[in-house]
Amino acid sequence: MKLENKIVLITGGGSGLGRQCSQLFASEGAKIAVVDIDKDRAEGTVKLVEQQGGTAIALTADVSVEAQVVDAVAATVDAFGKLDVVFANAGVVSRGGVPSVAGGEVVDFQDLTDADWQAVLGVNLSGVFYTAKAAVPALRANGGGVILATSSAASFLAYHSIAMYSATKAGVNGLVRGLSLDLGKYGIRVNAIAPTHGMSPNFLMPAGSPVVGQSYEETAGPWDPGISPIPLKLNRPPSLSDNARAALFLVSDDSAYISGVTLPTTDGGTLSRVGMWFPEDEGTPTLDASA
């Protein structure tokens, strides 16, 4: 078991990748603190972990509020005695989302407000900063550990209508690099994953929506690799599990000497494309936005 006797705190653990990782990490021997702004979702994840024989607790916190993150870390240590891994996974998309996926209306950049900016900045970048900062004392007391963050393919290339989101995720990559230098002396590794495909539709759905538990591609209907924009052609769609297993690698001792890295996950060659279509690409659908 890759995480036997490890204590893991996961923000945004109530749905999507956070829920998938809670279940996967628990199956690998970890005890999980599921942190989410939605109490019911966090408790739902705990039930799933317990049903598979694991141990988890549900904690409610808004990661854009530092004091709430500090309290969540303290509650985790109180419950389990230590902290080995913190996964700063919680994230929100900027207002307007990705209209081609969400079916919403495009919001012109000039019409976005300071409140819109603060909302996405608070969760996606400040939330990672607060989570890492709160975790460091507990990780140092434990002799070291791992900080993992969820970035996005949007930190490397542009997606329509989510410039603010892209900016915050690029900030996560910079934070990861800086913290890897500052915290390495304490035996703390800091990395991020940057999913492209295989992420949850809940990300673009209104708060309180039912947890889907599948990826965009899995919910889109019968899978046909021939019409998928993903260059890698496999006989199944990308899934939440594909991203979760990359996260597992980065929080386990399998990656003991990896730090300061943002790893594109479930990419399937998408990020290898240049910014134009060649003749052999004719008929290829426009890249979907799934991270």
Side-chain angles (χ1 to χ4, degrees):
M1 300 179 96
K2 296 181 183 294
L3 298 176
E4 190 169 9
N5 298 320
K6 300 292 187 182
I7 307 303
V8 180
L9 181 152
I10 302 177
T11 68
S15 64
L17 180 60
R19 175 169 286 191
Q20 189 73 30
C21 285
S22 294
Q23 293 177 265
L24 177 61
F25 294 2
S27 74
E28 291 289 342
K31 295 179 180 178
I32 313 295
V34 180
V35 181
D36 202 279
I37 196 170
D38 186 318
K39 179 182 178 181
D40 291 338
R41 283 187 173 186
E43 291 176 347
T45 297
V46 168
K47 289 180 181 177
L48 291 173
V49 170
E50 291 175 343
Q51 286 171 6
Q52 67 184 39
T55 300
I57 59 171
L59 300 171
T60 305
D62 178 347
V63 299
S64 70
V65 180
E66 183 174 12
Q68 293 187 26
V69 181
V70 170
D71 288 346
V73 170
T76 301
V77 175
D78 286 345
F80 296 123
K82 63 171 184 168
L83 181 65
D84 298 284
V85 175
V86 62
F87 183 12
N89 167 71
V92 295
V93 72
S94 42
R95 186 164 68 92
V98 184
S100 62
V101 175
E105 181 180 355
V106 174
V107 178
D108 287 340
F109 180 73
Q110 66 189 23
D111 294 327
L112 293 167
T113 66
D114 180 64
D116 292 326
W117 171 240
Q118 297 301 330
V120 69
L121 178 67
V123 175
N124 292 357
L125 187 51
S126 295
V128 175
F129 168 71
Y130 295 149
T131 303
K133 182 184 175 189
V136 166
L139 296 176
R140 287 185 62 182
N142 198 38
V146 179
I147 298 170
L148 181 67
T150 297
S151 181
S152 170
S155 69
F156 297 119
L157 47 76
Y159 285 67
H160 283 294
S161 305
I162 55 169
M164 296 191 301
Y165 173 83
S166 296
T168 60
K169 292 300 186 177
V172 168
N173 298 351
L175 184 62
V176 161
R177 288 191 296 270
L179 290 181
S180 71
L181 287 179
D182 293 340
L183 301 180
K185 59 189 175 185
Y186 304 124
I188 298 172
R189 299 191 294 111
V190 189
N191 293 297
I193 58 170
T196 306
H197 308 286
M199 291 296 279
S200 171
N202 278 117
F203 185 61
L204 296 177
M205 296 167 67
S209 299
V211 177
V212 176
Q214 290 184 308
S215 68
Y216 294 97
E217 295 84 359
E218 288 173 317
T219 60
W223 174 249
D224 183 349
I227 64 172
S228 166
I230 303 174
L232 179 64
K233 303 303 179 184
L234 299 180
N235 62 2
R236 65 167 181 84
S239 69
L240 292 169
S241 181
D242 291 308
N243 288 299
R245 291 192 176 281
L248 174 62
F249 168 71
L250 287 175
V251 302
S252 75
D253 289 341
D254 287 345
S255 60
Y257 252 98
I258 296 177
S259 193
V261 169
T262 297
L263 175 67
T265 57
T266 317
D267 160 59
T270 293
L271 296 183
S272 69
R273 288 193 181 278
V274 296
M276 62 181 70
W277 296 116
F278 290 93
E280 57 266 34
D281 293 318
E282 287 300 322
T284 303
T286 303
L287 172 64
D288 67 358
S290 52

